[in-house]
Amino acid sequence: FKNAYALFTKDVWQAASDAVGTRNAALVSSEIAKRWRELLPSEKSHYKALADEENAGHRAYKELKEEAR
């Protein structure tokens, strides 16, 4: 299962890496965290909705799999 922050990270990793000028995970992660803190609530809610949608699909698959047993 993914959360909103994980999906945001996936979207902005390359741009954050370019911004800090390195692929060092610690530095890029710090930049991503800074960007996340600066997001407007409406922008965060977009990622929350994406996470909810993706996780609902995972839950539905898991339920089907369990029913098939």
Side-chain angles (χ1 to χ4, degrees):
F1 294 95
K2 293 185 180 175
N3 62 31
Y5 185 76
L7 295 173
F8 174 74
T9 296
K10 184 177 177 185
D11 278 355
V12 301
W13 181 271
Q14 187 61 53
S17 176
D18 293 345
V20 296
T22 182
R23 296 191 57 80
N24 178 288
L27 295 175
V28 176
S29 292
S30 292
E31 175 66 18
I32 291 170
K34 177 182 155 242
R35 291 176 183 214
W36 177 255
R37 286 189 303 271
E38 293 173 351
L39 280 185
L40 297 173
S42 61
E43 294 170 312
K44 285 184 181 180
S45 68
H46 165 74
Y47 286 99
K48 170 111 173 64
L50 290 175
D52 289 346
E53 183 179 312
E54 185 169 323
N55 291 333
H58 286 295
R59 279 194 272 302
Y61 173 76
K62 185 177 178 182
E63 289 171 6
L64 284 174
K65 190 175 169 184
E66 289 176 3
E67 288 175 9
R69 290 182 180 181

